Amino acid sequence: ETLQRIVSTLANKNDEIHNFIDMLNHTIKNVQVNSSNAITELDEEFDGLYSILDEMKGSMANTIQQEEARKIQTLQDQLSQCSNALESSEELLELAAQSLDIKDPVNFMKVENIEQIVTMASAFRISLKPKVSDSMTHLMVDFALERRMLQAVKFLPVPKAPEIDLPACLVADNCVTVSWRMPEEDSRIDHFTLEYRKTNFDGLPRVKDEQQWELIDYIKATEYTLSGLKFDTKYMNVRVQACNRAVAGEYSDPVTLETKAFVFSLDSTSSHMNLKVEDTYVEWDPTGGKCQEKIKGKENKSRSGAPSPKRTSISTRSSVRGNRDRFTGESYTVLGDTAIESGQHYWEVRAQKDCKSYSTGVTYRNLGKFDQLGKTNSSWCIHVNNWLQTTFSAKHNNKTKTLDIPVPDRLGVYCDFDGGQLAFYNANSKELLHTFRTKFTQPLLPGFMIWCGGLTVSTGLQVPSAVKTLQKSENGLSGSTSSLNNIG
């Protein structure tokens, strides 16, 4: 025995080492791929920087060229004005010189306004100062600061791994609220990424035989609620990473949260012949039993000779449905395939709108093949009858209590095996409809009766918080209880 224990421990250790080796090999591949991706992203960033610098260089060079053209044009205009003024002045000088050469006073006085003409020469009005300077210093640049900034460019600090605040995490109402915090303040954090996956293993995640991580991206807060879950596993792994605008940090250490809930399917192999059962859906089939009787009759008539293909087909169908004699007659019943032996459990039932009659509740395994739910001392149920007029009642031990309340479109069933309670709720509003109280002495099976219609069962549900609250306030009270409750 000691050797077997040691061998078993060693085998488990070997499995762990194999898993760890697989994880290391997977990590090596990821390092190579991620390094290549990082180089590619670095090239893209620098190419983008080069592009920006080239664009800025072209724009600034264009500005200098425009300033050069403006100044040259201004100076050329001024040069043209000076040339015109100079030409005019030279003509006036020649005219004035000719006038001064006249010796005869009479003839000299005949020259009209020569003094005024010379006085008004454009050369006297023109500015001999350049309108623009030849300096271009106002378009010089100093990239000292930018050069220092570029020289200071380094890899963006990778955000640290967040820390999941386990006491603040909440699993309730088929929702998981995950809360986390950063080990130190980081103003560059842009968003968070949350990953989760369902598992049946408590503790660290395993490489083999695990489901893929489900991703929730771009979370701005440090808390997120996963809603609408079906808790069909015992646990859930969650991890979180912080991301800035360029890079994502390492994931937090994975945390395992317990998500245990009551999961069962309908036992199709032991249901009534008139019921068609698929996992969590059951529908009344009026031709089921008659079809089976015809099959049996044909088998009894032809027991000799080689079987024809048709007989082979019938025989196969008979063998598939041959075990479905658990219920018969008007006991249109199907049971769940998982027994309740302890704890608190919850599931919900929705009937089709045109369903004529159905019941839902629990029963011991000893329910007879002709028995109906609620008509024995070992079964408890809520019954809805829509045949002529709608009646809503609680049944146990062939006794009925009419419930004078509207029938909800979805029923919640709460079973506290150890506390001896079976309660029914409006699944939408969580209003308490009825409570049975007894001491359960045997394992219980979920039970369902259906006639002219169909039922859908929702499993993998936790006991809702509202139901827990109502149960606390309802314990010791008898507002919705009756004499049916104490008959067990």
Side-chain angles (χ1 to χ4, degrees):
E1 291 178 357
T2 302
L3 180 59
Q4 285 179 343
R5 286 197 299 270
I6 295 174
V7 169
S8 176
T9 302
L10 181 59
N12 291 335
K13 191 64 177 179
N14 286 348
D15 288 340
E16 292 179 3
I17 294 175
H18 279 302
N19 289 340
F20 186 63
I21 290 174
D22 290 341
M23 185 179 70
L24 289 177
N25 288 328
H26 185 67
T27 303
I28 290 173
K29 292 180 181 179
N30 284 345
V31 168
Q32 295 171 338
V33 172
N34 292 337
S35 297
S36 177
N37 293 338
I39 292 175
T40 301
E41 292 177 1
L42 184 65
D43 288 340
E44 292 176 353
E45 289 295 333
F46 271 93
D47 287 343
L49 190 59
Y50 298 150
S51 176
I52 292 174
L53 289 173
D54 286 340
E55 184 178 346
M56 290 179 62
K57 178 182 176 182
S59 176
M60 296 176 77
N62 186 52
T63 300
I64 294 174
Q65 291 170 352
Q66 289 178 354
E67 181 69 0
E68 176 191 11
R70 185 187 70 81
K71 285 194 171 187
I72 289 175
Q73 183 64 45
T74 301
L75 292 172
Q76 285 180 343
D77 291 344
Q78 193 174 12
L79 179 62
S80 177
Q81 291 174 0
C82 290
S83 298
N84 293 334
L86 182 60
E87 183 179 354
S88 176
S89 295
E90 289 176 347
E91 292 177 354
L92 287 174
L93 283 173
E94 185 178 355
L95 176 63
Q98 292 175 355
S99 299
L100 290 173
D101 289 339
I102 299 174
K103 302 302 182 179
D104 184 12
V106 176
N107 293 332
F108 181 79
M109 294 302 295
K110 291 181 179 180
V111 179
E112 295 181 1
N113 301 326
I114 183 62
E115 182 180 358
Q116 184 178 359
I117 293 173
V118 172
T119 303
M120 296 299 295
S122 59
F124 292 116
R125 299 192 304 273
I126 195 167
S127 172
L128 297 181
K129 180 180 180 181
K131 290 184 177 181
V132 294
S133 73
D134 59 356
S135 174
M136 298 291 282
T137 55
H138 65 290
L139 293 178
M140 301 301 290
V141 294
D142 179 10
F143 284 142
L145 177 61
E146 287 75 8
R147 188 176 292 108
R148 287 195 297 270
M149 292 177 62
L150 286 173
Q151 290 172 344
V153 171
K154 298 179 181 179
F155 291 109
L156 189 66
V158 177
K160 294 185 179 296
E163 298 173 351
I164 296 180
D165 187 2
L166 193 56
C169 296
L170 178 64
V171 180
D173 299 321
N174 283 74
C175 297
V176 174
T177 298
V178 185
S179 180
W180 60 89
R181 57 176 175 265
M182 294 299 295
E184 57 186 49
E185 187 176 352
D186 188 346
S187 60
R188 299 189 181 188
I189 298 298
D190 179 67
H191 64 274
F192 297 93
T193 296
L194 169 68
E195 288 192 341
Y196 70 96
R197 64 181 175 186
K198 298 177 181 179
T199 177
N200 283 317
F201 301 107
D202 188 10
L204 295 176
R206 308 186 180 197
V207 174
K208 290 186 176 180
D209 302 325
E210 286 284 6
Q211 297 185 26
Q212 295 294 321
W213 290 100
E214 300 287 342
L215 174 67
I216 306 294
D217 206 352
Y218 295 103
I219 303 172
K220 294 295 185 179
T222 57
E223 182 179 279
Y224 189 82
T225 298
L226 298 164
S227 58
L229 299 172
K230 181 178 181 181
F231 289 161
D232 48 4
T233 58
K234 295 180 181 178
Y235 304 98
M236 179 181 290
N237 300 138
V238 294
R239 63 184 186 181
V240 183
Q241 70 176 167
C243 308
N244 53 36
R245 292 189 178 275
V247 65
E250 294 292 328
Y251 276 99
S252 64
D253 292 332
V255 170
T256 301
L257 303 174
E258 185 173 0
T259 56
K260 189 177 181 181
F262 185 45
V263 181
F264 66 90
S265 298
L266 301 179
D267 188 0
S268 60
T269 62
S270 63
S271 67
H272 191 285
M273 296 295 284
N274 281 95
L275 298 183
K276 292 196 301 184
V277 180
E278 295 180 5
D279 194 20
T280 56
Y281 177 75
V282 54
E283 183 177 357
W284 187 73
D285 180 10
T287 64
K290 295 179 181 179
C291 182
Q292 182 64 15
E293 290 175 3
K294 292 179 181 179
I295 292 171
K296 290 182 178 180
K298 291 181 180 179
E299 289 176 345
N300 292 333
K301 289 180 181 179
S302 55
R303 295 191 179 184
S304 62
S308 65
K310 186 175 181 180
R311 292 192 185 114
T312 302
S313 174
I314 292 172
S315 177
T316 302
R317 183 175 179 183
S318 176
S319 64
V320 171
R321 302 188 65 173
N323 294 328
R324 293 185 56 175
D325 57 356
R326 175 70 174 84
F327 298 101
T328 189
E330 294 185 356
S331 180
Y332 303 116
T333 303
V334 61
L335 304 178
D337 62 0
T338 305
I340 299 173
E341 299 183 13
S342 63
Q344 302 177 39
H345 307 281
Y346 179 84
W347 62 95
E348 294 179 353
V349 180
R350 181 192 294 272
Q352 292 180 344
K353 291 185 178 181
D354 58 350
C355 186
K356 297 301 182 184
S357 178
Y358 65 93
S359 299
T360 180
V362 297
T363 179
Y364 293 154
R365 297 181 186 272
N366 61 1
L367 191 66
K369 63 191 304 182
F370 292 98
D371 291 335
Q372 297 181 13
L373 289 176
K375 291 193 174 183
T376 69
N377 63 357
S378 60
S379 62
W380 300 257
C381 74
I382 286 283
H383 177 71
V384 179
N385 188 344
N386 291 320
W387 180 236
L388 296 178
Q389 59 181 8
T390 300
T391 59
F392 191 28
S393 59
K395 291 186 175 183
H396 170 61
N397 201 18
N398 207 23
K399 293 184 179 180
T400 301
K401 174 180 173 56
T402 300
L403 304 178
D404 190 17
I405 47 180
V407 180
D409 65 343
R410 196 156 51 98
L411 284 168
V413 184
Y414 166 79
C415 179
D416 180 1
F417 186 92
D418 302 314
Q421 288 190 56
L422 177 67
F424 298 87
Y425 291 85
N426 181 324
N428 297 318
S429 66
K430 300 301 182 291
E431 175 191 0
L432 178 62
L433 306 176
H434 187 79
T435 301
F436 290 106
R437 294 181 182 274
T438 187
K439 181 179 181 181
F440 298 119
T441 58
Q442 300 177 35
L444 295 168
L445 288 172
F448 308 89
M449 187 283 294
I450 184 71
W451 179 64
C452 289
L455 289 178
T456 299
V457 184
S458 298
T459 70
L461 304 178
Q462 288 188 318
V463 180
S465 301
V467 169
K468 291 181 179 179
T469 302
L470 281 173
Q471 281 298 317
K472 289 181 180 179
S473 62
E474 193 262 345
N475 284 337
L477 301 177
S478 59
S480 62
T481 62
S482 70
S483 59
L484 290 172
N485 299 336
N486 299 317
I487 300 176

